[in-house]
Amino acid sequence: MGKGNICFQVYGGVEVVKQVYNFNAGPAALPATVLAQAQAELLDFNQTGMSVMELSHRGLDYEGVHNEAQHLLRELLAIPDDYAVLFLQGGASLQFSMIPMNFLTNAQCGNYVLTGVWSEKALAEGDLLGDTFVGASSKEINYTKIPNLNEIVVRDQDAYVHITTNNTIYGTQWHQYPNFTTAPLLADMSSDILSKPIPINQFGLIYAGAQKNLGPSGVTVVIVKQELLNNRATAIPTMLKYRTYFDNNSMYNTPPTFGIYVLGLVLKDAQAKGGLAVIAKENKIKAQLLYEVIDGSNGFYQGHAKSCSRSLMNVTFTLPTETLTQDFLAKATAAGFVGLNGHRLVGGCRASTYNAVPLATCEALRDFMLAFHKQS
Ligand SMILES: *Cc1c(COP(=O)(O)O)cnc(C)c1O
């Protein structure tokens, strides 16, 4: 459909031509300024005559990159001093295993709140490695909402309570977090970390694969209360023990240096935008644009999530028939929209409106949805 789809975006003086409206669920859009800076520095980083990828991870130049990324994350998320910031590999999925390995000891039980496929996968790894308990679940209502906080059952033998703060596939999100006195709260924040301010001290551990809101795939960020690392869990392979990363500033072995560098650029960009309060406000406006179309469509577009649990990161919806859904997706693709198909497990449509998805991109989708409805 030609020229109309080309979106000129100017970021901090850099004009970038975006041929597509990227709504991918992950890996997902990165800020155009970040990509431009990575490109400009690719062949000669910081006058080293080398790319970041070619630097020794034991040298001062890389160490600066590594520590600055940690420092920026601490600043942006207001992470208290008694929490460690770790960089790992293996994605969020490896955290599903590392959590029970490190914390399920002494005949205790891992408590999982089920709110979607990712929490089911976390539970499955806990089952492999120890005893588990489901403290609450919205499976029977097809994961259309987050359980009420007072519905979550926690027992004395629970070593932790695990939640998934944003359910990327179903499009639901926790808008407040529980506070338990007997067990630390551990959270998979892969798809909403950095999207808003977080009360870090309500959590024992937070983890996130980087490829949604933080940077490229290949880096996993873990934020953990240091006292949780003093447990005596034994017989954990060195690379699967949080303590190893803590004791070695996440450089026991070679860290994913280029990914951490891009993460640092993303964090700098978030800081330049005004920090998480500003970003949260914009994210709300972006998602709201699309929810307003859904709510105003007389049932033509049907949101998957109940209003109280709607995600500001992943907007999920279907059309009245599968044929119309497919027609919508095909015409959207032709109009330059990418990544609007729902997850293969649930079908329908999904627009992921992460931090790096510009407001103008969401406005373009709103306009497309309105036009498609009108012509149908
Ligand atoms: C994408 C995603 C995952 C999987 O992440 P990997 O890094 O691919 O292992 C896990 N949890 C949530 C909430 C996600 O959105």
Side-chain angles (χ1 to χ4, degrees):
M1 300 198 169
K3 279 190 213 143
N5 313 318
I6 297 175
C7 176
F8 290 92
Q9 297 166 348
V10 181
Y11 295 91
V14 188
E15 188 181 50
V16 186
V17 182
K18 281 269 181 191
Q19 301 283 350
V20 296
Y21 302 113
N22 185 357
F23 286 98
N24 275 334
L30 284 165
T33 38
V34 165
L35 297 175
Q37 190 176 343
Q39 183 186 45
E41 296 178 337
L42 191 67
L43 299 184
D44 182 10
F45 174 74
N46 204 16
Q47 297 176 340
T48 56
M50 288 175 272
S51 140
V52 170
M53 288 178 274
E54 301 168 289
L55 299 174
S56 163
H57 64 291
R58 304 286 176 204
L60 282 180
D61 286 295
Y62 176 71
E63 203 184 313
V65 168
H66 191 90
N67 293 342
E68 187 174 16
Q70 277 179 353
H71 173 74
L72 285 166
L73 197 66
R74 281 190 178 281
E75 271 193 0
L76 277 162
L77 282 169
I79 299 173
D81 288 343
D82 57 334
Y83 284 73
V85 174
L86 312 176
F87 299 138
L88 291 80
Q89 301 187 56
S93 299
L94 187 62
Q95 296 308 302
F96 300 163
S97 311
M98 281 180 67
I99 283 172
M101 275 185 183
N102 283 264
F103 302 128
L104 257 196
T105 50
N106 303 328
Q108 283 184 303
C109 198
N111 185 327
Y112 290 81
V113 178
L114 297 189
T115 52
V117 166
W118 295 117
S119 33
E120 284 181 15
K121 289 193 168 170
L123 169 68
E125 296 300 303
D127 272 336
L128 275 177
L129 293 157
D131 289 328
T132 61
F133 174 74
V134 174
S137 168
S138 54
K139 189 175 179 137
E140 65 282 1
I141 49 169
N142 199 15
Y143 295 130
T144 47
K145 71 183 274 287
I146 301 297
N148 295 329
L149 299 191
N150 60 13
E151 286 168 16
I152 303 169
V153 177
V154 180
R155 302 125 358 119
D156 285 344
Q157 66 266 43
D158 293 337
Y160 56 79
V161 181
H162 178 279
I163 66 172
T164 312
T165 56
N166 184 74
N167 298 279
T168 326
I169 294 174
Y170 296 91
T172 62
Q173 188 174 22
W174 296 65
H175 296 299
Q176 47 184 341
Y177 308 109
N179 232 328
F180 306 115
T181 49
T182 54
L185 185 62
L186 316 186
D188 178 356
M189 289 198 185
S190 292
S191 52
D192 69 349
I193 193 166
L194 213 70
S195 69
K196 60 181 179 181
I198 298 289
I200 301 287
N201 57 17
Q202 254 175 272
F203 296 87
L205 182 148
I206 290 166
Y207 63 95
Q211 68 271 22
K212 278 110 187 191
N213 246 351
L214 289 177
S217 61
V219 192
T220 308
V221 167
V222 171
I223 300 163
V224 58
K225 196 164 192 176
Q226 282 172 32
E227 66 182 31
L228 291 182
L229 304 181
N230 296 331
N231 69 32
R232 265 172 267 290
T234 49
I236 304 173
T238 308
M239 285 294 292
L240 299 176
K241 208 187 297 186
Y242 289 115
R243 186 88 217 176
T244 303
Y245 294 83
F246 178 64
D247 288 343
N248 295 280
N249 190 23
S250 302
M251 288 206 250
Y252 172 77
N253 75 327
T254 317
T257 53
F258 191 73
I260 291 168
Y261 157 75
V262 178
L263 164 65
L265 296 182
V266 169
L267 295 170
K268 244 181 255 169
D269 182 69
Q271 200 173 53
K273 281 180 179 147
L276 297 192
V278 174
I279 287 171
K281 222 175 181 175
E282 187 170 315
N283 282 333
K284 199 167 185 173
I285 294 169
K286 281 154 43 184
Q288 219 53 53
L289 282 179
L290 305 180
Y291 286 124
E292 271 167 23
V293 174
I294 291 171
D295 291 340
S297 73
N298 255 326
F300 182 75
Y301 295 111
Q302 283 158 30
H304 178 81
K306 293 218 158 61
S307 311
C308 60
S309 298
R310 280 175 166 173
S311 168
L312 301 183
M313 296 279 100
N314 311 97
V315 178
T316 50
F317 59 95
T318 51
L319 284 79
T321 64
E322 182 58 22
T323 312
L324 271 171
T325 299
Q326 291 312 321
D327 189 37
F328 174 86
L329 289 171
K331 292 207 165 97
T333 302
F337 294 93
V338 172
L340 286 177
N341 50 305
H343 190 274
R344 62 197 149 80
L345 291 175
V346 299
C349 309
R350 168 174 58 177
S352 298
T353 57
Y354 299 124
N355 287 2
V357 176
L359 177 63
T361 298
C362 296
E363 287 169 343
L365 179 58
R366 173 200 58 195
D367 295 345
F368 178 81
M369 288 172 75
L370 290 171
F372 184 86
H373 183 192
K374 212 169 179 181
Q375 61 108 77
S376 292

